[in-house]
Amino acid sequence: RLSDFNLQEAANTAWAFATVDHLDEKLFAALATAAERRLSEFKAKELANTAWAFATANYRDEGLFAAWAMAAERRLSEFNPQAVANTA
């Protein structure tokens, strides 16, 4: 049902699983695919929270993190200090 989620809902889902230290590989793989497809639509906070969640859950996808880094760099002026810290 991830296709029914808006970006904030997807970010919140990743954040929730990461916060309780639960890495569900299938869920995070689906979230990663959905995130990559809609990367240009992410707001700074959504991007930062999702990047934080994936890193905290120890989900490794070099391509996804590289794409997030490029997206964040292009829109760095939109990030508040907390979003910069979460993304880093």
Side-chain angles (χ1 to χ4, degrees), residues 1 6 9 14 30 33 51 53 67-68 76 80-81:
R1 303 218 17 204
N6 66 37
E9 292 165 340
T33 299
W68 277 336
L76 198 54
N80 66 29

Side-chain angles (χ1 to χ4, degrees), residues 3-83:
S3 61
D4 296 336
F5 284 29
N6 66 37
L7 294 174
Q8 184 63 54
E9 292 165 340
N12 289 350
T13 300
W15 182 89
F17 276 82
T19 299
V20 296
D21 198 26
H22 183 81
L23 175 59
D24 182 308
E25 289 282 342
K26 288 176 83 173
L27 173 64
F28 275 83
L31 286 166
T33 299
E36 280 190 287
R37 285 186 191 137
R38 300 177 64 193
L39 191 57
S40 65
E41 300 173 43
F42 273 86
K43 294 177 185 166
K45 184 177 179 179
E46 295 162 347
L47 181 63
N49 289 348
T50 306
W52 176 90
F54 275 68
T56 299
N58 204 28
Y59 183 83
R60 297 176 188 240
D61 183 329
E62 289 182 30
L64 178 64
F65 278 96
W68 277 336
M70 287 176 26
E73 184 178 0
R74 281 192 298 268
R75 297 189 347 232
L76 198 54
S77 64
E78 299 172 27
F79 283 63
N80 66 29
Q82 184 65 53

